[in-house]
Amino acid sequence: MSRSLILLTLLLVLISAFASASPHRRHRSRAPHPRLSSVADPISPDVWCLTFATDESDAEPIEIEISRALAPLGADHLYALVNEGFYSSPAAFFRVVPQFIVQFGISGSPELNTKYGNTSILDDPVVASNTIGTLTYATAGPDTRTTQLFINFANNSFLDSQGFSPFGTVVNGLNTAINVFNPTPNNSDGVDQGNYTQFGQSWIEQQYPGINSITGAKVQTGSCAK
Ligand SMILES: *[C@@H]1O[C@H](CO)[C@@H](O)[C@H](O)[C@H]1NC(C)=O
Ligand SMILES: *[C@@H]1O[C@H](CO)[C@@H](O)[C@H](O)[C@H]1NC(C)=O
Ligand SMILES: *[C@@H]1O[C@H](CO)[C@@H](O)[C@H](O)[C@H]1NC(C)=O
Ligand SMILES: *[C@@H]1O[C@H](CO)[C@@H](O)[C@H](O)[C@H]1NC(C)=O
């Protein structure tokens, strides 16, 4: 292949990767938005530290400092999800797009998905920017945030104008997130979200040997210890 053809191919691969690479809960070509019922959550602390343990070997936990002021409804909902045990079952990193994002927040427990996956919160205005290490909800359109989140691996500030409202920053363990196993290196959409939602952890572990998951989450009031 000539050098220019290689470059063109690379460019096309990059363009196609980004064309479909918005942190949407489902691929856009899929059916109508799920029917969601809206909830209001108790108010969370102004600042709190979220720790995700993972099954990645020799990796430090991912610690994320949440600032409620940046996206109050999003912060309150995640605080409630953690406290109610949404992460009491493993939750896989089911979509990894190098240099872009890692997406997670479907439970390996179909029961927990049924309980929490159909309940949405209203949008928060975008106050912060989707820069490297920030935590943001994935959506399927306006007012459809449920349980899915992503961590930005780059300065993805182009997402700000699309309504993606960051509300936390990874302060420890960003490399843990960056190094998770990529189940679909040739597909920026990640695994089939419907199948993982429905068939759970045994399905994803069988389909994608080497998959990494969140194995627990805890919250603490105040800043993360540095
Ligand atoms: C919504 O609830 C239905 C059962 O009522 C369940 O099959 C489905 O997986 C849930 N949706 C999500 C996104 O978890
Ligand atoms: C992110 O990128 C935008 C657009 O290029 C730029 O204006 C902004 O300063 C960048 N932010 C950081 C933290 O690098
Ligand atoms: C991804 O694509 C490359 C190049 O086409 C191929 O060699 C590789 O086996 C593919 N990997 C997977 C997991 O499909
Ligand atoms: C999802 O599950 C359906 C039903 O079992 C199956 O036909 C389909 O191949 C699965 N898709 C993927 C990508 O695993």
Side-chain angles (χ1 to χ4, degrees):
M1 243 199 276
S2 75
R3 168 176 277 197
S4 59
L5 191 56
I6 293 172
L7 277 176
L8 181 65
T9 309
L10 249 178
L11 194 65
L12 287 175
V13 166
L14 275 175
I15 288 170
S16 60
F18 270 84
S20 62
S22 226
H24 285 269
R25 284 213 317 272
R26 290 194 172 79
H27 197 270
R28 256 171 297 189
S29 62
R30 289 277 280 278
H33 293 160
R35 192 166 291 133
L36 297 169
S37 63
S38 213
V39 280
D41 298 291
I43 292 174
S44 58
D46 289 343
V47 176
W48 47 279
C49 183
L50 168 64
T51 305
F52 283 132
T54 76
D55 59 5
E56 211 178 316
S57 54
D58 297 324
E60 61 176 346
I62 301 170
E63 293 191 321
I64 307 173
E65 192 159 297
I66 308 292
S67 300
R68 184 176 186 273
L70 299 178
L73 301 177
D76 293 348
H77 194 53
L78 183 55
Y79 194 78
L81 283 171
V82 174
N83 280 328
E84 289 180 26
F86 182 76
Y87 288 96
S88 59
S89 276
F93 296 101
F94 60 82
R95 182 181 178 210
V96 178
V97 188
Q99 325 293 327
F100 182 48
I101 56 148
V102 59
Q103 191 169 334
F104 56 94
I106 293 175
S107 177
S109 154
E111 292 74 25
L112 287 174
N113 292 324
T114 299
K115 185 170 178 191
Y116 293 104
N118 291 306
T119 303
S120 66
I121 53 171
L122 299 177
D123 285 342
D124 285 301
V126 181
V127 174
S129 183
N130 285 273
T131 51
I132 185 164
T134 51
L135 177 76
T136 306
Y137 279 87
T139 76
D143 299 328
T144 59
R145 294 182 299 170
T146 59
T147 59
Q148 288 198 32
L149 301 163
F150 63 92
I151 293 170
N152 286 295
F153 285 162
N155 179 358
N156 296 324
S157 61
F158 69 94
L159 296 174
D160 303 352
S161 60
Q162 297 178 30
F164 292 101
S165 181
F167 62 110
T169 304
V170 176
V171 295
N172 286 308
L174 184 58
N175 278 337
T176 302
I178 289 171
N179 291 333
V180 297
F181 176 82
N182 184 349
T184 60
N186 293 335
N187 179 358
S188 64
D189 287 336
V191 313
D192 184 307
Q193 295 183 22
N195 280 10
Y196 182 40
T197 301
Q198 187 182 351
F199 303 127
Q201 199 66 14
S202 55
W203 176 84
I204 206 165
E205 286 179 4
Q206 195 198 353
Q207 297 287 318
Y208 302 97
I211 191 85
N212 284 128
S213 300
I214 292 169
T215 53
K218 66 174 187 185
V219 295
Q220 279 174 296
T221 300
S223 297
C224 300
K226 298 278 159 34

